Amino acid sequence: MRTAEIRQRWLDYFGSKGHEIVPSVPLVSPDPSILFTIAGMVPFIPYILGTETAPWPRAASVQKCIRTNDIENVGRTTRHGTFFQMNGNFSFGDYFKREAIDFAWELLTTDQGKGGYGFDGDRLWVTVWEQDDEAFDALTKGVGLDPKHIVRLPREENFWDTGRPGPAGPCAEWHYDRGPAYGPEAVGGNVDPGGDRYLEIWNLVFDQFVRGEGQGKDYPLLGELDHKSIDTGAGLERIAYLLQGKENLFEIDEVFPVISRLEEMTGKRYGAGSAEDDVRMRVVADHVRSSLMVIGDGVRPSNEGRGYVLRRLIRRGVRAARLLGVDGVALPDLLPVSKDAMKASYPELETDFTRISDVAYAEEDAFRRTLAAGTTILDTAVSRAKAGSTGGTPVLGGAEAFQLHDTYGFPIDLTLEMAAEQGVQVDEKAFRDLMATQKQRARADALAKKTGHADLRAYESLSKDLVTPVEFLGYTDREAAVSVVGLLVDGVPAPAATAPAEVEVVLDKTPFYAEAGGQLADQGTIVLDGGATIEVDDVQRPVAGLTVHRGRLTEGAVALGDPGTATIDVDRRVAISRAHSATHMIHKALHEMVGPDRTQAGSENAPSRVRFDFRSPTAVDSSALGDIEERVNQRLVENLEVTDDVMSLAQARELGAMALFGEKYGDRVRVVSIGGDWSRELCGGTHVRATGEVGRVALLGEASIGSGVRRVDALVGDGAYGFQAKEHALVGQLTGLLGARPDELTERVGSLLSRLKETEKELAGMRQANLLAAAGELAAQAPRIGGARVVTHDAGEVASADDLRALALDVRGRLGEAEPVVVAVGGLAGGRPLVVVATNAGARDAGLRAGDFVKTAAKALGGGGGGKPDLAQGGGTDASALPAALAGVADGVSSALAGA
């Protein structure tokens, strides 16, 4: 049974049982606390925790998931994969244990001809909590499972919770006995005695209790939940390899075709060669599929967050292919194969493959360049480690390994492998410590940005105390009568505060816009009837439904329940609204002038200024940028009407409204339209009423901010007018300096630059001629050392290694082939010492190789180098050691010939 059919049978079965079939959310998690959707339950967490009301009593899904916390185990076990699909069925206060167990038994054991999976019920085992008699009875008396196949476990091994006070409950974990060929029989209450015999395929979680404070599983159960829930997870890949008779998830129909293609590319045979090659093939197959799915959901490679995870997947996969013997590019051969294997379940991969492949292939090309550059840098670091070793195994410092990783994208495992090949260890602990410090700093920065260093539980507590979510009035009102319903001081809930103090205030309703969707927060004041004044500097929504006003209590006192008036800074709001509308227009014009695949990747709408990020594999040229600016300003002059409507998400999609990737949308969404159907986007921000209110837009330029992501900066309204006034003044100054009309400036400046380049070429030629003028004298005065003519010369300051190379080759040529010749020329280029060594055929016949001498000289300079026997170059960091480095070449020639 193909994996796509297993998936569809799941949805059909639960659809027939009254479940709402919920499409998979993107791999980018709707939960802001995690990067990716890591479990099938993630989209339903608010309903399980009770922070939001579920729109249906029961639901089912097949959710795309990514986990990379155990990426090192991928390919080494039958169970570890980075991308996987989780079948799930859920109940929110509807059915409970008996029905969930009935559903699981029926779907698993019903004949395949009748729509089930056809598993043998006598080979199913279930683990339950030792105190869960209800589940035990449902299994034995309800579906008739042999009691010997039920293993009772303590709470430590069979209980789910969130890690803090809240919902918790026992599980019923279903395992399939694969038979004695896979391990020993389960006896004595152990369903995991070793091997891969008892494979867990489905976990039913019964959200039954309220847990208290405690560590690990040591906490009290305070009582049962008023509304109990069910959430389950059945691994689609695990079911697939059982039903397809395969050994592991890498051999199923959605994964193995990539391994087959690797066999063709490398000549190796999976399962018939070395175990390590099999692991590498599985790694490639897994990582190619994961990369395909992650890029398909809009992620692009970068050095942080989700983009870093994707970059690591691609680079690990490419490296594993390289170790298998794939010297050329690998992804153009492998990615289409993975797409063809997955498109039955995800047809959008076919339609979107051009974009996906562009991203993946560009990243592979970048990594291949990184490998070349990183190898040179690593070789230099290894040479320093060897030179600094006083005995024992040389050690490459953790800081150097971290720089290779952080600056050059060199994976630590590749650093470990390549250093070991040269007999050098890596201080991996120091590297991991630096990585941990970097991650902690990033997390702290993100937490400070979103929560002001307060514990999220404080906000969640405030949110639960609200009768209704905080109402936003800012679409129509800029001032409102309000009441204080929540107060935090130093991140801790407080009943009152007295000036001066930094406070966070929650109002029952607010005209203040909280930062979201790229739009900066409103600022303004809250003046209480009792005389207190709060200057609002920032507004955030740390949890759903809760708007927090952060500011300074400058006078008086504030207490819960105090009434007052909230007033926004109108000038700031108007300027930001202009910028936000301009952002939508730039986005639309970009689609018109460049292409619809240039999708938004982020934005910042500030007073009179726009920063717009978009996905693009290439730069947008200046002419296209000019066309975009012209199109936007044309539409501004037309004074198009800007409207907003609230509708269902399905209706918005039918209208063609664009959605910002990574944002979480509810069933009801707000659609902002400009000029009717010219521009439509899902947006919760504030906007002008007509485009004429924006005034003017000036695009300042476009640049790369990461792999596959570009940024346009623009000025809006007063900012654009001011910028253009400055440009006009600058043009006036240039026309005066150059004596040209404005329309002649481009040609005149181009002519000046051409003349400057020609002059620079002439100067370079003169410099090299002066340098080569010494070649004759150097050749004539070349001393004989042990039967060879040897020249060592410090040329002083040079433009580049090219000057040294030309001089060395000129001197070698003048000395001819009558006797062995070694020429070593050094110099400083930009303050960095360089050395070039050239040898003739006679020297090479005598065992005098340029590459050997360069390594000796470069080591003295504190660096590294290499090349061919006839010509090699190197460099270092210690300019003062250049005379000693050149002398070392002469000594090396003497020693080599003396020992011959």
Side-chain angles (χ1 to χ4, degrees):
M1 188 183 298
R2 298 186 67 82
T3 305
E5 182 181 350
I6 298 170
R7 177 182 185 272
Q8 192 58 49
R9 285 190 180 215
W10 179 277
L11 298 175
D12 291 344
Y13 175 80
F14 282 105
S16 72
K17 301 298 182 181
H19 290 65
E20 177 75 17
I21 302 304
V22 181
S24 172
V25 301
L27 286 167
V28 174
S29 173
D31 181 344
S33 67
I34 51 179
L35 292 178
F36 288 106
T37 302
I38 59 173
M41 68 175 292
V42 167
F44 304 97
I45 286 176
Y47 313 141
I48 294 168
L49 298 182
T51 57
E52 296 181 25
T53 301
W56 346 265
R58 54 178 69 183
S61 68
V62 177
Q63 176 61 48
K64 298 178 289 185
C65 303
I66 283 280
R67 287 183 194 169
T68 58
N69 57 317
D70 51 6
I71 195 170
E72 290 79 10
N73 290 325
V74 170
R76 300 190 178 278
T77 74
T78 62
R79 310 179 186 188
H80 287 91
T82 52
F83 172 82
F84 60 96
Q85 300 158 87
M86 189 58 70
N87 301 340
N89 61 288
F90 306 87
S91 167
F92 312 109
D94 187 11
Y95 62 83
F96 201 47
K97 293 181 184 179
R98 183 171 296 277
E99 294 90 338
I101 288 171
D102 287 345
F103 289 151
W105 177 263
E106 184 177 20
L107 180 55
L108 288 174
T109 61
T110 296
D111 289 344
Q112 293 185 8
K114 297 180 180 179
Y117 292 143
F119 285 108
D120 181 354
D122 291 335
R123 298 176 70 173
L124 292 173
W125 289 64
V126 181
T127 61
V128 299
W129 181 36
E130 59 190 0
Q131 298 182 33
D132 195 351
D133 294 333
E134 183 181 357
F136 185 87
D137 289 344
L139 288 164
T140 54
K141 300 175 183 178
V143 302
L145 187 67
D146 185 346
K148 294 180 181 178
H149 284 200
I150 301 174
V151 179
R152 291 177 178 263
L153 298 174
R155 187 197 291 181
E156 290 75 15
E157 299 181 44
N158 188 279
F159 219 81
W160 173 86
D161 60 70
T162 62
R164 59 185 183 184
C171 307
E173 299 167 330
W174 296 67
H175 299 72
Y176 185 74
D177 180 2
R178 302 175 74 190
Y182 293 91
E185 185 176 359
V187 293
N190 186 355
V191 79
D192 191 16
D196 290 320
R197 177 168 176 172
Y198 297 91
L199 182 68
E200 182 185 340
I201 56 174
W202 197 342
N203 185 20
L204 314 182
V205 179
F206 308 126
D207 305 310
Q208 182 175 1
F209 299 103
V210 178
R211 61 152 284 186
E213 293 280 1
Q215 296 295 320
K217 299 298 181 182
D218 183 18
Y219 50 75
L221 298 178
L222 305 179
E224 295 202 358
L225 292 164
D226 293 333
H227 297 284
K228 300 178 179 65
S229 298
I230 293 286
D231 73 82
T232 85
L236 179 57
E237 282 79 5
R238 292 191 182 187
I239 295 174
Y241 75 76
L242 289 176
L243 293 182
Q244 293 175 17
K246 304 299 182 183
E247 293 297 311
N248 53 60
L249 67 90
F250 305 100
E251 298 176 13
I252 66 173
D253 61 305
E254 289 190 344
V255 183
F256 194 75
V258 172
I259 293 178
S260 295
R261 183 70 185 99
L262 274 171
E263 290 179 319
E264 297 171 4
M265 295 169 67
T266 64
K268 300 178 185 291
R269 287 292 169 260
Y270 178 76
S274 74
E276 198 58 35
D277 280 347
D278 286 351
V279 170
R280 289 167 182 157
M281 286 187 175
R282 293 193 286 263
V283 167
V284 174
D286 173 88
H287 288 9
V288 167
R289 183 170 79 140
S290 296
S291 300
L292 171 78
M293 301 305 296
V294 171
I295 298 171
D297 274 356
V299 180
R300 286 177 178 260
S302 69
N303 285 330
E304 59 183 17
R306 302 178 183 99
Y308 177 72
V309 173
L310 173 59
R311 173 159 286 167
R312 189 181 184 201
L313 286 168
I314 293 175
R315 294 187 171 194
R316 285 187 95 247
V318 169
R319 175 176 170 262
R322 174 174 169 265
L323 294 175
L324 285 166
V326 179
D327 294 326
V329 291
L331 291 182
D333 280 299
L334 301 175
L335 200 69
V337 174
S338 186
K339 178 261 295 181
D340 289 341
M342 294 297 296
K343 67 183 181 182
S345 294
Y346 304 99
E348 64 271 17
L349 295 173
E350 182 78 76
T351 57
D352 206 20
F353 189 67
T354 298
R355 178 188 65 82
I356 295 170
S357 58
D358 285 347
V359 172
Y361 301 163
E363 179 62 17
E364 180 178 18
D365 290 341
F367 182 48
R368 286 169 61 81
R369 292 193 296 272
T370 293
L371 276 175
T375 299
T376 301
I377 295 161
L378 177 62
D379 286 345
T380 301
V382 165
S383 296
R384 282 199 298 268
K386 289 181 176 179
S389 177
T390 57
T393 304
V395 177
L396 181 72
E400 292 172 301
F402 179 77
Q403 182 186 29
L404 277 166
H405 163 85
D406 195 51
T407 305
Y408 301 101
F410 221 57
I412 181 60
D413 48 357
L414 189 56
T415 299
L416 291 168
E417 175 193 348
M418 295 179 67
E421 289 171 355
Q422 300 184 60
V424 174
Q425 292 182 347
V426 177
D427 188 346
E428 193 173 355
K429 181 182 184 303
F431 170 82
R432 301 292 179 195
D433 289 344
L434 288 168
M435 284 293 293
T437 299
Q438 183 189 58
K439 289 178 181 178
Q440 288 167 2
R441 188 182 302 118
R443 287 171 184 155
D445 289 345
L447 190 62
K449 177 74 168 65
K450 295 297 180 186
T451 69
H453 300 285
D455 190 331
L456 275 177
R457 285 181 290 186
Y459 297 121
E460 291 171 351
S461 176
L462 285 176
S463 181
K464 289 179 180 178
D465 291 340
L466 294 178
V467 177
T468 59
V470 177
E471 182 183 3
F472 175 60
L473 307 174
Y475 294 135
T476 56
D477 300 338
R478 297 173 178 181
E479 182 177 282
V482 298
S483 177
V484 177
V485 296
L487 178 65
L488 287 88
V489 180
D490 295 329
V492 178
T498 303
E502 299 282 339
V503 295
E504 296 177 76
V505 176
V506 179
L507 305 174
D508 59 337
K509 51 187 176 296
T510 182
F512 285 85
Y513 183 84
E515 181 181 354
Q519 179 170 330
L520 296 189
D522 282 331
Q523 296 177 352
T525 59
I526 301 171
V527 179
L528 302 178
D529 292 353
T533 299
I534 301 168
E535 299 288 344
V536 178
D537 300 318
D538 189 23
V539 187
Q540 295 288 334
R541 296 188 70 195
V543 297
L546 185 74
T547 302
V548 177
H549 308 74
R550 296 182 180 142
R552 296 159 285 119
L553 178 60
T554 58
E555 58 181 287
V558 57
L560 295 177
D562 283 353
T565 302
T567 307
I568 67 168
D569 180 336
V570 175
D571 290 342
R572 175 182 170 87
R573 162 68 75 78
V574 169
I576 291 175
S577 296
R578 289 193 190 111
H580 202 155
S581 296
T583 296
H584 284 218
M585 299 178 74
I586 292 170
H587 194 189
K588 178 62 179 179
L590 178 69
H591 281 199
E592 290 181 333
M593 301 301 165
V594 182
D597 60 332
R598 268 50 173 188
T599 55
Q600 185 173 350
S603 66
E604 181 177 278
N605 306 302
S608 303
R609 181 175 56 81
V610 164
R611 186 202 72 205
F612 182 78
D613 301 339
F614 60 98
R615 298 176 181 86
S616 176
T618 58
V620 177
D621 62 46
S622 58
S623 63
L625 210 59
D627 292 341
I628 292 168
E629 180 179 301
E630 182 180 356
R631 177 60 168 161
V632 170
N633 285 305
Q634 175 192 27
R635 304 256 72 182
L636 294 180
V637 172
E638 294 172 9
N639 201 28
L640 304 176
E641 184 181 17
V642 181
T643 60
D644 64 275
D645 299 281
V646 177
M647 63 187 72
S648 70
L649 183 58
Q651 288 175 311
R653 286 173 172 158
E654 287 178 8
L655 289 174
M658 290 188 286
L660 179 61
F661 167 74
E663 288 290 311
K664 180 183 178 183
Y665 299 103
D667 291 331
R668 304 289 292 173
V669 296
R670 181 171 178 261
V671 177
V672 173
S673 303
I674 300 177
D677 61 356
W678 181 66
S679 166
R680 280 201 176 105
E681 292 195 31
L682 274 60
C683 181
T686 63
H687 291 269
V688 298
R689 291 166 296 182
T691 58
E693 297 176 20
V694 174
R696 186 147 187 93
V697 171
L699 302 189
L700 302 180
E702 181 263 12
S704 171
I705 60 168
S707 179
V709 181
R710 314 290 299 182
R711 172 172 292 172
V712 167
D713 287 295
L715 296 175
V716 178
D718 292 343
Y721 288 126
F723 172 74
Q724 290 178 331
K726 290 179 181 178
E727 274 197 329
H728 182 72
L730 179 61
V731 168
Q733 292 174 341
L734 288 173
T735 55
L737 287 171
L738 299 176
R741 296 192 307 271
D743 59 344
E744 297 174 335
L745 284 178
T746 301
E747 182 180 352
R748 184 66 61 87
V749 171
S751 175
L752 287 173
L753 290 174
S754 296
R755 288 164 57 187
L756 180 61
K757 288 181 180 178
E758 288 298 321
T759 302
E760 288 175 342
K761 283 183 180 179
E762 291 176 9
L763 288 173
M766 292 172 62
R767 184 176 61 249
Q768 192 171 77
N770 289 334
L771 189 67
L772 296 178
E777 185 177 352
L778 290 172
Q781 297 179 359
R784 286 182 173 81
I785 299 177
R789 299 288 295 277
V790 179
V791 175
T792 59
H793 174 64
D794 184 349
E797 289 286 344
V798 296
S800 69
D802 291 341
D803 288 349
L804 299 179
R805 190 180 302 109
L807 179 58
L809 292 174
D810 193 348
V811 173
R812 185 185 70 178
R814 291 173 185 266
L815 289 171
E817 297 290 343
E819 53 189 327
V821 172
V822 177
V823 180
V825 181
L828 300 179
R832 181 172 181 260
L834 301 172
V835 63
V836 172
V837 178
T839 61
N840 69 357
R844 295 192 294 276
D845 291 342
L848 304 175
R849 297 179 179 83
D852 296 336
F853 293 126
V854 155
K855 288 179 181 178
T856 300
K859 183 177 180 181
L861 297 174
K868 297 179 180 179
D870 64 324
L871 184 66
Q873 74 178 55
T877 57
D878 187 359
S880 65
L882 186 57
L886 293 170
V889 174
D891 292 343
V893 172
S894 177
S895 298
L897 293 178

